[in-house]
Amino acid sequence: MEATLLVELLTEELPPKSLRRLGYTFADQLVAEIVRHRLKTRDPKKLTFATPRRLGVLIQDVQEQGSESQHSIEGPQSSNAKAVEGFARKNKVSLESLERRKTEKGEIVVANFTLPGVHLDAVLANIVEEALRKLPVPKVMRWGPGEAQFVRPVHGLVMLHGSRIVSGKVLGLESGNRTRGHRFMGKSEITLGNADEYEAKLNDEGMVVPNFAVRRDQIEGFLKEKAQEQKANLGEYKILLDEVAALVEHPSVYVGEFDKAFLEVPQECLILTMRQNQKYFPLFDAAGELLPKFLIVSNMKVADPRHIIGGNQRVVRPRLEDARFFFNQDRK
């Protein structure tokens, strides 16, 4: 039987600068192992999911039972009867089933085998563990009383083949069919009826946009829309997109402002402070001059964002104050 395979790890907040790479590497490694175990005869189509609190992969048309494989073992020369008998006994085949094959060294016997395919349930947990071991993670950590190690603590595991839970244990966790929504806006627990409904359920019930590329594109669209409303442009905004997409599960964009008096500082200092320290997107006029405004990518969608905007404006002020202080110190 062929069905869609879903694997998801629910974690604590993953490193934002490496989230995109972690997600795609995890998907590539899983696919490679699925193909190697002959659970798919060709590279299957896949969807990659990565949010601050999860890594997931959806692989289409995965077989429940792997395909058979043919193997051959070369034996001794056919003229050596005693050696041929020992070769057949060792490989548990009859003498009549041995193939005669001519080589440069003379005629030899060959034992041919048909090996049955592996069952998905028997290998999937090991496949996931192997894929996790190959992730580009410089440092791992332990949590709880167990020996499990990963870049962040893992608290949930989903392994679904169609509507069936694939039993197994990864990093000390038993597999299931329950995932989690947005920490504040979505359902705390979502039961999946089958693998194919994963993305839609997370979007609708969980208030989570699990697909990294989709979420990144959403953020870019929101940023352009807000900049246009402010009659401004974003400058070199793309350098921040991947990192910001790795910080939120459900993006919303709001406009913040700062005191115009800070514009006496060279704008490069203010831009660096806002982008590097606060992950904000500064706004510019048509001539490329910095405006006293910036865009905030938030993980919360609210009807009245005044508290979010006000909080971010309070946070950025001392950062800009530091920039002004050091600039004035240098002028002395």
Side-chain angles (χ1 to χ4, degrees):
M1 183 187 75
E2 288 187 353
T4 301
L5 176 67
L6 169 67
V7 176
E8 183 201 52
L9 263 75
L10 292 163
T11 71
E12 293 182 17
E13 275 68 12
L14 293 162
K17 289 187 177 180
S18 57
L19 178 64
R20 182 179 182 276
R21 188 181 175 196
L22 286 175
Y24 283 101
T25 304
F26 183 51
D28 290 342
Q29 293 295 338
L30 270 182
V31 168
E33 288 296 310
I34 290 291
V35 172
R36 188 174 72 83
H37 283 81
R38 303 187 309 280
L39 292 161
K40 188 68 181 176
T41 54
R42 57 182 174 78
D43 284 359
K45 296 177 182 177
K46 68 178 184 296
L47 287 174
T48 303
F49 304 104
T51 79
R53 301 171 63 216
R54 77 197 71 228
L55 293 176
V57 187
L58 201 70
I59 309 173
Q60 297 178 2
D61 303 324
V62 174
Q63 298 170 5
E64 187 174 3
Q65 181 81 30
S67 56
E68 295 179 342
S69 61
Q70 304 296 324
H71 294 268
S72 297
I73 299 177
E74 292 187 349
Q77 291 187 339
S78 58
S79 58
N80 189 338
K82 192 171 183 178
V84 169
E85 287 180 12
F87 174 73
R89 189 165 52 251
K90 178 184 175 182
N91 290 284
K92 299 179 181 179
V93 295
S94 66
L95 290 171
E96 294 76 17
S97 67
L98 293 175
E99 174 192 346
R100 265 63 176 172
R101 184 179 297 173
K102 290 184 178 180
T103 68
E104 293 178 357
K105 297 180 181 180
E107 187 180 73
I108 63 170
V109 294
V110 177
N112 296 311
F113 301 91
T114 299
L115 296 180
V118 297
H119 197 280
L120 179 65
D121 293 49
V123 297
L124 183 59
N126 289 334
I127 286 175
V128 175
E129 291 267 16
E130 184 63 23
L132 293 175
R133 278 194 291 270
K134 292 180 178 178
L135 291 183
V137 176
K139 290 184 180 180
V140 295
M141 59 187 298
R142 290 184 180 178
W143 61 95
E147 295 297 315
Q149 298 182 62
F150 192 51
V151 63
R152 292 292 184 271
V154 180
H155 299 302
L157 171 67
V158 176
M159 296 196 306
L160 277 179
H161 186 236
S163 59
R164 186 178 63 83
I165 297 173
V166 179
S167 60
K169 186 179 283 190
V170 175
L171 298 178
L173 294 168
E174 292 285 351
S175 61
N177 65 340
R178 294 180 181 178
T179 186
R180 298 176 187 174
H182 190 282
R183 195 184 291 278
F184 306 109
M185 299 190 299
K187 280 188 177 181
S188 59
E189 192 173 90
I190 300 169
T191 301
L192 300 169
N194 62 71
D196 289 306
E197 66 184 27
Y198 172 75
E199 186 172 9
K201 272 207 167 185
L202 270 181
N203 272 295
D204 299 338
E205 298 180 22
M207 295 295 286
V208 171
V209 182
N211 189 306
F212 186 93
V214 170
R215 196 168 63 255
R216 185 183 187 276
D217 290 345
Q218 279 188 4
I219 292 170
E220 186 173 19
F222 294 156
L223 289 171
K224 289 180 177 179
E225 183 181 327
K226 287 292 183 183
Q228 190 173 9
E229 288 175 7
Q230 299 297 313
K231 296 180 173 55
N233 66 70
L234 292 158
E236 297 295 326
Y237 69 96
K238 290 191 177 182
I239 57 175
L240 255 185
L241 271 181
D242 278 358
E243 189 174 353
V244 170
L247 289 168
V248 299
E249 290 194 314
H250 187 99
S252 296
V253 175
Y254 306 113
V255 181
E257 298 182 359
F258 60 86
D259 193 331
K260 291 181 181 179
F262 286 116
L263 293 176
E264 68 184 30
V265 181
Q267 68 177 35
E268 290 81 4
C269 300
L270 304 180
I271 293 167
L272 182 68
T273 295
M274 285 188 280
R275 284 179 178 161
Q276 184 168 300
N277 299 123
Q278 301 304 125
K279 315 308 175 189
Y280 297 151
F281 291 82
L283 291 176
F284 304 86
D285 63 19
E289 296 298 317
L290 181 66
L291 297 171
K293 296 179 179 181
F294 57 91
L295 298 182
I296 307 153
V297 179
S298 172
N299 197 34
M300 294 288 291
K301 183 178 183 180
V302 293
D304 184 0
R306 282 181 296 177
H307 291 297
I308 294 174
I309 295 170
N312 280 277
Q313 290 178 164
R314 283 194 299 274
V315 167
V316 79
R317 182 179 179 85
R319 292 285 191 179
L320 300 181
E321 201 69 75
D322 286 346
R324 179 162 60 182
F325 170 78
F326 287 114
F327 171 64
N328 288 331
Q329 285 294 102
D330 288 346
R331 291 178 67 192
K332 290 180 182 179

